[in-house]
Amino acid sequence: MGIVRLLLAIAVVIAHSSSIFGFRLMEGAIAVQAFYIVSGFYMALVLNEKYIGQAHSYRLFITNRLLRLYPVYWVVLVLSVVCSVGGYWLTGNPFKLSAYFEALPYIQPYALFYVILTNVVVLGQDMVFFLGLNPQTGRLFFAPDFHVTNPPVYMFMFLPQAWTLGVEILFYLLAPFLVRRSVAVLVVLAGGSLAIRLALYNIGLHDDPWSYRFFPSELMFFLVGALCYRAYLVLKVQAVPPWVFQAVLLLALAVILSYHFLPTDLPKRIVYYLFFALTVPFLFILTRNNRFDYHLGELSYPVYISHMFTGSIVKYALDQARIPEAWFGLTLVVVTVLFSLLLVRFVAGPVERYRQRRVRKFQQAPPDQTLPAGLVPSG
C-alpha cells in the first residue's frame, strides 16, 4: 500500500499549498482519515502477528511506535526552530516565531509552557484546536470553534499538522486492548464512535474541529481499519485471480487521482471511505512483498510531517524570486519528497533497523515466520 500512502500524504501537501496548475487530489481531511483506516489495519496486523509470544509486550509495542514517530518529528521540529531563528536574524522574518513574539507581552507563563511542551511531546496537540488564548488575560480557554479565536493557539505550533500524531498516539495507547477483540466487539465500538459523531452533528457541532480532530469520533476510522484486517484474514486464503488485485490497485489509484473532479457532497465522502476500506485488504496482499512499494510508503510519514517546514522555506524563496504562485504546489511537492528521502536515509532508516532488532530480540518464532520488516506501517 506504499504508493497509496504516499499519494495520500501528497494530497495533504497540495491541500496546504496550491493546486498543481489546476490539479488537486482529495481534501486534506479525507486523506488524513483514510490514513487512520490504514493505521488501524496495520496496528491490528502487527499486534496479532508480530507482537506475540515473548514480544507480546505493551511496553515494547508503545515504545516502538513512539520510535517510529518521534525521531523524524524532532529532527524536523529542530530544523524549523533553527530556521525561524536564523531567518529572523538574517532577514527580519520570524517565520514560526511570529506568534510567540506577538503574544509575549500578555501570555501567561503556564500557557506559554503548555504550547512549548505540546510542540515537544506532540501528545495533546489535537487539543490545541479546542482552545483559545485571551489577549486581555493571557489565559487559555475552551473554544468550541477555534476559527473565531484570535490569536489561534495552533499558530504556536511549529508543525501544526502534527496534531494528527496526537490522535495516532491515543489510538496506539488503546490499540492492544481493542484490535485483538472479536469482530462483534469491534463493530460495536465503531458503532459507538459513529454514534458520538452523529450526536455531535445533531447538536450543531458538525464543523472542524468536531468533525475532524475529536478522538472519540475519529476512533471509528481506526476500528474500520482493524476490521479490514479481519477481512484480509479471510481474503488471503481464497483463490482470487491475480488480475483482481491488480484491478483493485488501478481503481484505487484512479479514484485518488480523480477524486477532486467528482461532484462534491457528503455522500461522496462516505462512499469513498467505504470504497477505501474495501480495497485495503486487496492492496495489502498485492503489495506486501514489493520492495519498491515499501520504499514509497516509507516516504509518506516524512512527507507529511515535513511539508509545513519545507513549505515555509519554499514560499519565502518563491516570493523573493517573484515566481508566480501557480508554481508553489508543484515546487513544494518536489522539495518535500527530496527532503523526505534525506530523512529516510539518515533518520528513519537507522531507527527502523533498531526497532526491528528490538522486536526480533523477543520473538520466539524463527526469522522466516516473523512479519517482514517492510510491513511496518508509517504512523
Side-chain angles (χ1 to χ4, degrees):
M1 290 191 290
I3 187 171
V4 172
R5 287 160 50 202
L6 180 58
L7 283 175
L8 292 175
I10 290 175
V12 177
V13 176
I14 296 174
H16 287 161
S17 54
S18 68
S19 65
I20 300 178
F21 301 107
F23 175 77
R24 288 184 178 275
L25 296 175
M26 60 186 56
E27 301 165 34
I30 299 173
V32 167
Q33 289 168 332
F35 262 123
Y36 290 162
I37 295 174
V38 173
S39 182
F41 174 87
Y42 272 121
M43 292 309 101
L45 177 75
V46 298
L47 282 166
N48 284 284
E49 300 188 14
K50 185 173 185 178
Y51 292 92
I52 54 178
Q54 291 185 7
H56 188 285
S57 164
Y58 183 81
R59 179 180 178 183
L60 177 63
F61 169 74
I62 294 299
T63 53
N64 251 15
R65 295 317 306 163
L66 298 184
L67 280 170
R68 180 73 179 190
L69 299 180
Y70 278 110
V72 171
Y73 172 80
W74 280 333
V75 167
V76 179
L77 175 65
V78 169
L79 289 174
S80 184
V81 173
V82 169
C83 287
S84 294
V85 173
Y88 180 67
W89 181 57
L90 294 173
T91 69
N93 186 339
F95 293 97
K96 290 294 184 179
L97 290 172
S98 58
Y100 289 86
F101 288 170
E102 294 170 6
L104 275 178
Y106 63 81
I107 189 171
Q108 292 288 329
Y110 85 90
L112 180 61
F113 175 77
Y114 170 78
V115 295
I116 293 175
L117 181 65
T118 51
N119 269 291
V120 176
V121 303
V122 182
L123 189 63
Q125 279 201 29
D126 50 316
M127 296 307 299
V128 162
F129 293 89
F130 295 87
L131 298 174
L133 178 64
N134 190 321
Q136 278 71 48
T137 65
R139 297 180 180 275
L140 295 170
F141 63 92
F142 171 69
D145 184 359
F146 71 89
H147 298 93
V148 299
T149 62
N150 187 28
V153 181
Y154 73 83
M155 293 298 293
F156 292 88
M157 300 297 106
F158 281 87
L159 303 174
Q161 77 277 24
W163 69 266
T164 61
L165 303 189
V167 175
E168 284 270 357
I169 292 172
L170 288 176
F171 174 64
Y172 294 160
L173 294 173
L174 295 175
F177 308 105
L178 299 179
V179 301
R180 294 184 176 119
R181 301 292 181 180
S182 67
V183 170
V185 171
L186 292 175
V187 169
V188 169
L189 291 173
S193 178
L194 176 60
I196 292 173
R197 179 176 293 270
L198 294 175
L200 292 172
Y201 190 91
N202 190 53
I203 62 175
L205 299 176
H206 46 70
D207 295 319
D208 190 9
W210 301 96
S211 64
Y212 184 32
R213 310 174 200 266
F214 188 52
F215 177 73
S217 59
E218 295 300 297
L219 179 61
M220 69 179 198
F221 292 102
F222 294 101
L223 296 175
V224 167
L227 289 169
C228 290
Y229 167 72
R230 302 304 175 90
Y232 152 74
L233 293 179
V234 175
L235 181 64
K236 72 176 184 177
V237 297
Q238 305 301 314
V240 181
W243 67 264
V244 173
F245 297 95
Q246 297 162 2
V248 169
L249 174 60
L250 292 176
L251 182 59
L253 295 178
V255 171
I256 292 175
L257 294 173
S258 64
Y259 184 92
H260 182 71
F261 301 100
L262 301 176
T264 303
D265 52 28
L266 180 60
K268 182 178 79 168
R269 294 184 63 166
I270 296 174
V271 170
Y272 178 72
Y273 292 139
L274 293 174
F275 165 78
F276 184 77
L278 289 173
T279 65
V280 165
F282 290 88
L283 297 177
F284 178 75
I285 291 175
L286 177 65
T287 61
R288 58 183 171 180
N289 295 316
N290 188 308
R291 298 302 298 177
F292 180 69
D293 183 79
Y294 161 69
H295 289 298
L296 290 178
E298 289 297 278
L299 288 171
S300 60
Y301 174 55
V303 164
Y304 175 78
I305 206 60
S306 68
H307 77 273
M308 287 290 199
F309 163 66
T310 54
S312 297
I313 296 174
V314 169
K315 185 70 167 62
Y316 180 79
L318 293 181
D319 288 344
Q320 293 300 305
R322 298 183 180 179
I323 295 175
E325 177 77 12
W327 286 93
F328 182 37
L330 176 60
T331 307
L332 179 57
V333 169
V334 172
V335 170
T336 303
V337 170
L338 292 175
F339 179 65
S340 297
L341 287 169
L342 295 177
L343 287 174
V344 170
R345 174 66 178 84
F346 295 106
V347 184
V351 172
E352 180 61 24
R353 290 189 289 273
Y354 170 66
R355 291 175 67 249
Q356 298 310 314
R357 288 197 300 271
R358 295 182 78 225
V359 177
R360 285 195 295 268
K361 178 181 177 182
F362 290 96
Q363 284 178 322
Q364 290 180 317
D368 61 343
Q369 295 181 17
T370 62
L371 188 69
L375 300 185
V376 176
S378 65

